[in-house]
Amino acid sequence: MNENTKRLLTIVVAVLTMTAGTFGLTSKEAKADGLYCGYWVLGLIEAKYLQKGGLGGPLGCPTSNELSNPGSTGKRSEFGNRGIVYWKNYAPAAHPVWGVILISWGQVGYEAGIFRYPINDEYIAEYSNGQPIFQQNFECGYIRAFNVFSTRFYTCV
């Protein structure tokens, strides 16, 4: 295969992956070595993205290439208003943050704020009147979400 053919194939794959979500293709159909909808999702962030369902999951198409966080403390991939997947340098896994918990965490500075990085995925902590209360733990506390409300508990001094 000559260089022009390789270049043309690369362009075709990029265009197809950028439009894959529009046509309802699955993550397997749209994936090309970490390229989803025209954006790179890599390493442990990609592993978590795929674990959560890839293009067919709650995060859908990425809206950024993998980005370095302020202070070069880790990486993230953004998925529009659906969420962000964060990885802290040397951590064994990446974790998505979304919904009310993401909004609440963002209000206090995301990973550069008082809570720092997420240390697990969101989970149901308990039920109140039959409704789930979601919780996500961070290096310095946790945030709970119930419907459209959240509470924050800071534990670092």
Side-chain angles (χ1 to χ4, degrees):
M1 184 179 311
N2 68 33
E3 197 59 37
N4 286 338
T5 303
K6 286 180 187 177
R7 196 172 303 153
L8 179 61
L9 284 174
T10 301
I11 292 168
V12 168
V13 167
V15 169
L16 288 174
T17 56
M18 285 189 294
T19 58
T22 305
F23 297 103
L25 299 176
T26 67
S27 59
K28 185 174 178 100
E29 293 165 317
K31 184 181 178 298
D33 296 328
L35 188 64
Y36 303 86
C37 304
Y39 295 100
W40 290 102
V41 182
L42 307 168
L44 292 173
I45 292 176
E46 180 187 25
K48 181 57 72 170
Y49 174 63
L50 294 175
Q51 179 189 22
K52 295 295 182 184
L55 289 175
L59 293 166
C61 278
T63 57
S64 74
N65 286 314
E66 187 171 281
L67 303 166
S68 291
N69 292 331
S72 298
T73 57
K75 304 265 185 200
R76 73 184 184 279
S77 286
E78 299 176 351
F79 297 86
N81 62 359
R82 291 179 169 210
I84 304 171
V85 179
Y86 280 85
W87 172 76
K88 183 179 181 181
N89 292 345
Y90 311 108
H95 302 288
V97 186
W98 51 41
V100 174
I101 291 176
L102 175 61
I103 293 166
S104 184
W105 185 49
Q107 290 171 341
V108 292
Y110 300 100
E111 79 284 350
I114 61 172
F115 285 93
R116 301 188 197 145
Y117 278 89
I119 59 172
N120 65 354
D121 295 358
E122 177 183 283
Y123 62 94
I124 297 173
E126 61 182 284
Y127 288 86
S128 176
N129 297 322
Q131 297 295 314
I133 297 176
F134 295 95
Q135 179 172 316
Q136 187 154 14
N137 299 321
F138 295 83
E139 292 176 312
C140 285
Y142 62 90
I143 299 173
R144 285 189 166 189
F146 179 78
N147 290 326
V148 296
F149 302 101
S150 70
T151 55
R152 298 185 287 244
F153 298 91
Y154 178 71
T155 58
C156 291
V157 251

